[in-house]
Structure formats: C-alpha cells, structure tokens
C-alpha cells in the first residue's frame, strides 16, 4: 500500500496513468489518495489548516461540494462504485474525482488563502453569503466568480500532464465548460439591487457589499462600464397594473414574445467581446419593438431597457470570464473544439451507475 502522505503533488498526480488501478486497488485507498491531493495543494498555498473530508449522499451527477466549516464532501455512492470502474479500467472515473477534489480545494483556498486569489473572487466569496434575493437572482451558478476560478484552477493544475490532457481537452469536457461560461450573470446589477436593500442588511453584510463594490467597480471601469449603466427598468419596477399587462403580453402575444426571444437568442450567439455586434442587435431590436402597435410607449421603453440590460450583462459576463480564466477563455471559444457525442467511450455510464450491492 502506498503512503500517499509521503508523496508531493506531482508524484500523486503522476500515479494517474494506465496502471492506476494496479497501484490504487480499493475505494479506501482511492479516498485517501484524493484527500492527499487536497492536502498537498494546501501545502503549496501554506494554509494554516486542511479541509475536513466526509462522504455524503448527493444528487445524481454531483461528485462533491464545499460545505461550511471547511468541509469537503464527496459523493459516497460514487466512491463506493470504485470496484465497478476498476473492473473496467475506466480512467475517466478517477479523472473526474481528481478534478473535483482540486476544484473543491480551490473553494477552500478562496476562503483560507490570499495567495494567487483574484480580489474579485476574494470579495465575492463573502458577498454571496449576504445577498438579498433580488441580488442573487442576477447571478447564475456557472458564471459565479468563485466557480469560474475553481474550474480554471483545476484545469491549470492538471493541464500539460500526458494522461490528463486527453480528458481536459475532450469535446465533451470543453462543451461542459462552454455551457457554464455562457450562463448570464451581472454582479453590477446585483450590486445595485444590494444597495437598494442596504437598510435591511446587518453591519457585516453591509461591509461585504461595500468591499465587493470597491473591487468590482474598478473592473467595470476597465471594461468601459459602471453600475449606473445597469440601473434600468425591468418588469418588476413597473406599477402593478402595468406589470401584469406587460407580463401578459410577453406570455401570450406571439409578436412581442417572438421579438424578445429572437433578440435574446441573437445576443447569446453573438461574439460578446465585440460591443459593435451587440449594439447592432440592440438597434435592430429597438426597430422591431417600435413597429408593435399593441405596445404603449412606456412598455416599448421597458422592453428596450430589458434588452439593453441583457446585452450589457452578456458583455460583462464575457469580460469577467476572460479576466478570471484567460487560457480557458481562448480554448472554449475555439471553434475547432467541437463536442462529439461519446467522444471518449469511458464517459458512458459514470453518472448513471447505481450503488453496487
């Protein structure tokens, strides 16, 4: 049996090769191996403590998560499935758990280290815990700063290693990242909502909002935006009667609904880094809205504001992703990397396996 605690990070990761299941022969050793990887990463960042590790029941497809009080939890059902994947010599199984453990360890570092952590990620890690509901609704999981940073960190740790690159650069893996990277978030809009609700926050939460605002406002200036640009009317800001009327039109009036959906889709497919492309779509959107006789001028203005907010949020999301994951940004935008169905045969059943008897 290998004493994993005597190996450094490079030595631990080097065990991931064609002989993996000959060295690590059971689920207990596999779990110890994953924990050792986490601890060696923490050593690199000189943290005062290591995470605590537990196995827990999780939803299908969830490999692990960072919980409160420095606890990294892994899916015990999938850990128990080790003999199944070992019998198939399925290397994608340990790859996913290794990358998951590195990802979750990065979440631990985001809270417990100041080394190599972007100020936006550091501020957001606290800010997210005190957000009012209206502010949370502005942010999607896949494009949260802490999630972009954790995915990118795992990628950086594992890339340029012979056996890992096969999986890191597979079409399926890159498509997974592409989907997450294009989820829309707006921390700028979120901050406006948080400031609107500031009187209802306690002192600690207020300080977190101020800290997030300080680090993020600098970033917004760098990309040519400010929070003021995101102070725009949406349906929720209308009087109740107008809100109901416009919501009804969006739900049931095909002309209004189709224009909004078509332009949202066009923005999603646009090159977000090119503001000229987004501006052209907005110009066409406004022209389309003006032709709708069933809408009042105020309703047209509100829908126009909603489209503008979406365009700015897409641009903001894109620029933030580029800042936090620059190498990943170039790779996921590369049209050469097209996902292929079942590109790697080993992807077939990892999320469908039932717990062995």
């Amino acid at each position: 049996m290998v004493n994993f605690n005597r190996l450094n990070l490079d030595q631990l990761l080097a065990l991931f090769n064609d002989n993996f299941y000959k060295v690590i022969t059971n689920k207990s050793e596999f779990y110890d191996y994953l924990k050792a990887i986490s601890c060696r990463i923490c050593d690199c960042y000189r943290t005062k403590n290591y995470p605590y590790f537990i196995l827990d029941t999780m939803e299908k497809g969830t490999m692990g998560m960072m919980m409160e009080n420095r606890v990294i939890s892994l899916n015990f059902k999938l850990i128990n499935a080790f003999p199944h994947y070992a019998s198939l010599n399925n290397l994608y199984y340990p790859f996913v758990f290794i990358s998951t453990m590195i990802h979750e360890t990065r979440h631990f570092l985001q809270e417990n280290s100041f080394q190599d952590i972007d100020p936006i990620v550091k501020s957001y890690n606290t800010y997210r815990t005190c957000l009012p509901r209206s502010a949370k609704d502005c942010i999607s999981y896949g494009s949260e700063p802490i999630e972009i940073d954790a995915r990118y960190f795992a990628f950086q740790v594992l890339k340029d290693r012979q056996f890992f690159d096969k999986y890191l650069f597979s079409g399926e893996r890159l498509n997974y990242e592409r989907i997450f990277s294009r989820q829309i978030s707006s921390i700028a809009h979120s901050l406006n909502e948080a400031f609107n609700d500031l009187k209802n926050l306690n002192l600690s939460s207020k300080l977190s909002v101020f800290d997030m605002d300080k680090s993020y406002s600098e970033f917004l200036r760098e990309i040519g935006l400010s929070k003021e640009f995101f102070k725009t009317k949406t349906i929720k800001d209308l009087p109740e009667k107008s809100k109901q009327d416009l919501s009804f039109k969006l739900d049931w009036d095909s002309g209004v609904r189709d224009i909004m959906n078509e332009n949202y889709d066009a923005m999603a497919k646009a090159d977000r880094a090119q503001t000229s492309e987004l501006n052209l779509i907005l110009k066409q959107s406004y022209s389309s809205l003006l032709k709708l006789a069933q809408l009042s001028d105020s309703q047209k203005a509100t829908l126009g504001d909603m489209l503008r907010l979406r365009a700015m949020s897409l641009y903001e999301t894109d620029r933030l992703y580029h800042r936090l994951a620059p190498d990943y940004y170039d790779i996921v935008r590369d049209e050469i990397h097209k996902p292929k169905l079942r590109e790697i045969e080993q992807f077939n059943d990892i999320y469908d396996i039932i717990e062995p008897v």
Side-chain angles (χ1 to χ4, degrees):
M1 178 179 175
V2 179
N3 185 344
F4 300 118
N5 289 324
R6 289 190 171 185
L7 303 181
N8 62 34
L9 182 61
D10 286 336
Q11 291 170 326
L12 288 168
L13 295 178
L15 296 178
F16 181 75
N17 56 49
D18 289 334
N19 295 316
F20 182 81
Y21 289 109
K22 293 179 182 178
V23 177
I24 299 173
T25 60
N26 58 63
K27 64 184 181 183
S28 178
E29 290 178 355
F30 182 49
Y31 187 38
D32 288 342
Y33 169 72
L34 294 173
K35 290 186 287 186
I37 288 174
S38 178
C39 292
R40 296 297 76 75
I41 289 174
C42 290
D43 289 344
C44 294
Y45 281 79
R46 300 178 181 178
T47 60
K48 294 181 179 179
N49 304 291
Y50 294 140
Y52 299 106
F53 304 97
I54 65 170
L55 298 176
D56 203 357
T57 303
M58 296 183 184
E59 294 181 2
K60 177 181 175 181
T62 301
M63 307 298 293
M65 62 180 66
M66 184 73 205
M67 305 172 70
E68 295 180 357
N69 299 320
R70 309 200 310 270
V71 175
I72 292 178
S73 175
L74 298 181
N75 188 327
F76 90 96
K77 192 173 184 179
L78 280 171
I79 289 289
N80 285 344
F82 180 92
H84 169 81
Y85 291 106
S87 69
L88 300 174
N89 198 35
N90 183 322
L91 287 179
Y92 184 60
Y93 170 78
F95 164 78
V96 174
F97 264 116
I98 291 167
S99 58
T100 295
M101 180 59 89
I102 296 171
H103 177 114
E104 301 306 335
T105 302
R106 181 60 169 186
H107 285 318
F108 174 81
L109 295 176
Q110 287 165 355
E111 186 171 345
N112 294 278
S113 175
F114 284 91
Q115 182 178 329
D116 189 31
I117 308 288
D118 190 286
I120 289 176
V121 174
K122 199 70 181 175
S123 297
Y124 183 82
N125 189 58
T126 305
Y127 172 72
R128 67 187 177 89
T129 64
C130 63
L131 292 179
R133 179 58 185 270
S134 60
K136 287 181 181 178
D137 289 344
C138 302
I139 300 170
S140 300
Y141 169 79
S143 49
E144 282 189 288
I146 58 171
E147 293 302 327
I148 297 171
D149 178 71
R151 296 196 307 272
Y152 185 53
F153 180 76
F155 171 79
Q156 288 179 299
V157 170
L158 297 178
K159 72 182 177 74
D160 299 329
R161 299 177 189 270
Q162 179 184 359
F163 286 90
F164 287 106
D165 280 357
K166 172 183 178 181
Y167 300 103
L168 285 173
F169 293 95
S170 69
E172 187 153 345
R173 187 75 177 184
L174 291 177
N175 190 49
Y176 163 88
E177 180 60 30
R178 189 174 288 113
I179 291 169
F180 270 149
S181 73
R182 294 185 73 83
Q183 290 182 0
I184 304 170
S185 287
S186 177
I187 295 177
H189 191 198
S190 170
L191 281 164
N192 285 335
E193 294 292 328
F195 275 109
N196 287 339
D197 200 49
L198 203 62
K199 63 180 182 298
N200 296 319
L201 301 180
N202 61 33
L203 178 59
S204 176
S205 296
K206 289 178 181 177
L207 293 175
S208 296
V209 172
F210 294 145
D211 182 55
M212 186 76 237
D213 181 53
K214 180 180 179 181
S215 61
Y216 206 69
S217 292
E218 181 179 343
F219 165 69
L220 289 174
R221 283 193 294 274
E222 291 174 359
I223 64 172
L225 297 177
S226 78
K227 295 199 310 299
E228 298 303 313
F229 292 3
F230 292 80
K231 289 183 177 178
T232 184
K233 282 188 177 180
T234 60
I235 290 180
K236 72 178 184 61
D237 299 310
L238 298 174
E240 192 59 35
K241 176 65 172 64
S242 300
K243 181 190 301 184
Q244 292 175 1
D245 186 34
L246 189 51
S247 296
F248 180 83
K249 283 185 169 63
L250 282 170
D251 288 337
W252 298 103
D253 189 313
S254 60
V256 177
R257 184 178 64 248
D258 290 347
I259 284 176
M260 295 299 288
N261 288 341
E262 286 169 8
N263 286 293
Y264 276 170
D265 288 344
M267 288 178 193
K269 295 172 184 175
D271 186 342
R272 298 176 181 178
Q274 299 298 320
T275 53
S276 58
E277 188 171 348
L278 290 173
N279 283 332
L280 178 60
I281 295 170
L282 280 176
K283 185 177 179 180
Q284 294 169 341
S285 303
Y286 296 152
S287 297
S288 300
L289 287 173
L290 289 174
K291 296 175 184 177
L292 294 179
Q294 65 268 49
L295 293 176
S296 67
D297 289 344
S298 63
Q299 289 175 332
K300 291 174 184 176
T302 299
L303 293 179
D305 282 348
M306 290 169 61
L307 288 166
R308 181 170 172 270
L309 178 61
R310 174 62 64 99
M312 289 191 301
S313 299
L314 284 165
Y315 174 68
E316 177 192 352
T317 300
D318 188 77
R319 294 294 83 199
L320 181 60
Y321 188 86
H322 181 266
R323 169 173 169 147
L324 298 180
D327 293 341
Y328 230 174
Y329 177 89
D330 292 334
I331 292 168
V332 299
R333 284 164 52 91
D334 188 348
E335 290 299 310
I336 295 173
H337 293 97
K338 288 289 188 181
K340 299 175 184 177
L341 187 64
R342 299 306 183 198
E343 184 180 44
I344 295 178
E345 184 178 350
Q346 292 170 324
F347 286 8
N348 284 358
D349 70 348
I350 191 165
Y351 296 122
D352 297 324
I353 185 68
I354 59 171
E355 184 179 0
V357 179

